[in-house]
């Protein structure tokens, strides 16, 4: 590895990172072929080794909730604008969204699109938004499907899927496209609180079982702009969000690898979800950050899972 002042010739785009807390970890991931750079920060190809850990972590997540009778659902990594424009994401996180565009022009527009592409000019004016956006969180596609009255005791769902956040970074823990395995509750306010607390405990047990030094901390989302600062303060004071945080890199930087969230009526109000007694439902979700947990294990034990401690291997691959 060359020094910071001497970039290596021919090194792939996006790998020239020498003095960040994650530099060594990132270099190992790339040199050992665990992740493959694509030229865009935060977008990676994944090796079979990486995916074998993802699969094992995910199986643990599933086992942790197997007794709850949650309904298993999967959604694509894109969702309708019609859902997105109601769920508050555009107000709170406009800078992290991903909109899907396509081309609807005529032959002349097409020629201009190709010309601009070849000369690396802005293609934006020739592309139009479609009626879909990238899913920012796995659970967001669920709520519009649950409009109406919930049964007594509420409902539980298990949802696994790709999420997108536009926050390009060379930090491997800050992927733009990543997976979350979520356990979601819809029901009463007391039920939502209980779900949040119960899953914080279950999540801690799963992650500590892997030898990760994880702790729950009250957290807030990076809401956009000045109104966002109030939302963030409220989220903290109401303890709506807990993150399960593990130390990573030599610097032991605290990094969230799972989170437990209470949404109050944030999703039930726009989508018309009520409890059996006619009140607006409360919702809560716990998300295992499957990619981040995988990265935390690779950071702690090295990039060859074959030589990880037997105690960890036997939990992941019983
Ligand atoms: Zn969620």
């Amino acid at each position: 590895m060359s020094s910071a002042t001497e970039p290596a010739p021919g090194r792939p785009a996006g790998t020239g990172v020498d003095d960040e807390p994650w530099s060594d970890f990132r270099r190992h991931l790339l040199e050992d072929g665990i992740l493959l750079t694509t030229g865009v920060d935060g977008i990676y190809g994944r090796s079979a080794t990486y995916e074998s850990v993802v699969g094992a972590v995910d199986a643990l997540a599933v086992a942790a909730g197997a007794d709850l009778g949650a309904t298993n659902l999967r959604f694509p990594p894109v969702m309708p604008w019609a859902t997105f424009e109601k769920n508050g994401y555009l107000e709170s996180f406009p800078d992290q969204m991903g909109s899907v565009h396509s081309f609807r022009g005529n032959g002349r527009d097409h020629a201009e699109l190709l010309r601009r592409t070849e000369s690396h000019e802005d293609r934006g004016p020739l592309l139009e938004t479609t009626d879909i956006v990238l899913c920012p969180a796995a659970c967001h596609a669920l709520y519009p499907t649950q409009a109406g009255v919930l049964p007594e005791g509420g409902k539980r769902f298990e949802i696994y899927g790709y999420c997108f956040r536009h926050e390009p970074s060379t930090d491997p823990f800050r992927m733009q496209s990543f997976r979350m395995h979520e356990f979601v509750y819809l029901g009463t306010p007391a039920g939502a609180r209980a779900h949040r607390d119960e899953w914080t405990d279950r999540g801690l047990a799963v992650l500590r079982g892997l030898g990760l030094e994880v702790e729950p901390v009250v957290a807030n989302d990076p809401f956009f702009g000045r109104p966002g600062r109030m939302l963030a303060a409220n989220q903290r004071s109401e303890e709506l969000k807990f993150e399960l945080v593990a130390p990573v890199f030599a610097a032991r930087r605290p990094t969230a690898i799972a989170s437990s969230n209470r949404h109050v009526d944030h999703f039930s109000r726009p989508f018309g979800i009520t409890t059996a007694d006619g009140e607006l439902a409360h919702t809560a979700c716990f998300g295992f950050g499957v990619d981040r947990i995988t990265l935390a294990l690779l950071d702690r034990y090295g990039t060859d899972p074959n030589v990880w401690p037997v105690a960890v291997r036997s939990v992941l691959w019983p």
Side-chain angles (χ1 to χ4, degrees):
M1 195 71 193
S2 60
S3 76
T5 55
E6 186 191 346
R11 189 162 52 187
T15 60
V17 183
D18 285 329
D19 51 4
E20 303 284 1
W22 53 84
S23 298
D24 284 347
F25 179 51
R26 178 185 171 84
R27 194 179 69 242
H28 286 304
L29 290 172
L30 300 181
E31 287 182 356
D32 297 343
I34 303 297
L35 294 181
L36 289 78
T37 50
T38 62
V40 174
D41 288 338
I43 303 287
Y44 300 96
R46 286 122 163 139
S47 67
T49 300
Y50 183 89
E51 287 301 306
S52 74
V53 181
V54 166
V57 167
D58 195 57
L60 284 180
V62 172
D67 60 318
L68 295 174
T71 302
N72 225 308
L73 291 180
R74 299 291 179 267
F75 293 94
V78 292
M79 61 190 257
W81 255 110
T83 300
F84 193 71
E85 63 195 17
K86 280 186 175 182
N87 71 8
Y89 199 84
L90 198 57
E91 286 80 5
S92 295
F93 312 104
D95 51 334
Q96 296 197 34
M97 73 161 297
S99 174
V100 177
H101 289 61
S102 190
F103 174 74
R104 292 203 197 89
N106 58 26
R108 196 156 30 140
D109 297 330
H110 184 217
E112 176 63 5
L113 177 66
L114 295 178
R115 187 195 66 74
R116 289 187 184 210
T117 298
E118 202 166 324
S119 57
H120 305 290
E121 289 174 42
D122 180 19
R123 286 169 292 240
L126 290 153
L127 301 176
E128 291 175 45
T129 53
T130 62
D131 52 6
I132 52 178
V133 296
L134 304 185
C135 283
C139 69
H140 283 197
L142 169 70
Y143 304 109
T145 70
Q146 298 304 308
V149 183
L150 295 167
E152 203 76 48
K155 283 188 182 178
R156 293 174 191 276
F157 293 93
E158 187 197 316
I159 300 175
Y160 185 38
Y162 263 99
C163 310
F164 175 84
R165 313 260 170 97
H166 185 247
E167 43 181 4
S169 168
T170 55
D171 177 356
F173 281 88
R174 206 161 282 283
M175 291 180 169
Q176 293 198 64
S177 185
F178 56 92
R179 286 158 286 188
M180 301 250 300
H181 204 132
E182 293 199 36
F183 289 86
V184 187
Y185 168 86
L186 302 85
T188 62
R193 253 177 215 283
H195 182 87
R196 193 269 317 269
D197 295 341
E198 166 76 15
W199 268 105
T200 302
D201 291 344
R202 287 185 186 223
L204 284 172
V206 168
L207 298 171
R208 286 175 178 161
L210 294 168
L212 297 172
E213 300 168 59
V214 63
E215 296 293 340
V217 298
V218 176
N220 62 263
D221 288 314
F223 296 99
F224 184 80
R226 190 203 288 263
R229 285 203 285 278
M230 270 171 59
L231 291 171
N234 181 59
Q235 195 179 35
R236 274 187 172 276
S237 65
E238 298 286 315
E239 299 194 341
L240 298 179
K241 184 183 186 80
F242 279 88
E243 287 178 336
L244 307 193
V245 166
V248 301
F249 314 136
R252 295 178 60 81
R253 184 193 72 188
T255 299
I257 56 176
S259 73
S260 200
N261 307 274
R262 247 177 356 107
H263 316 121
V264 192
D265 59 6
H266 180 84
F267 294 116
S268 62
R269 187 180 292 275
F271 297 112
I273 309 167
T274 59
T275 59
D277 57 9
E279 300 292 317
L280 272 180
H282 280 210
T283 63
C285 71
F286 180 87
F288 287 97
V290 178
D291 283 286
R292 283 198 174 186
I293 296 167
T294 297
L295 289 165
L297 292 167
L298 290 161
D299 174 64
R300 182 165 175 80
Y301 301 121
T303 55
D304 182 1
N306 291 311
V307 298
W308 286 2
V310 172
V312 175
R313 285 187 55 82
S314 66
V315 173
L316 286 170
W317 295 284

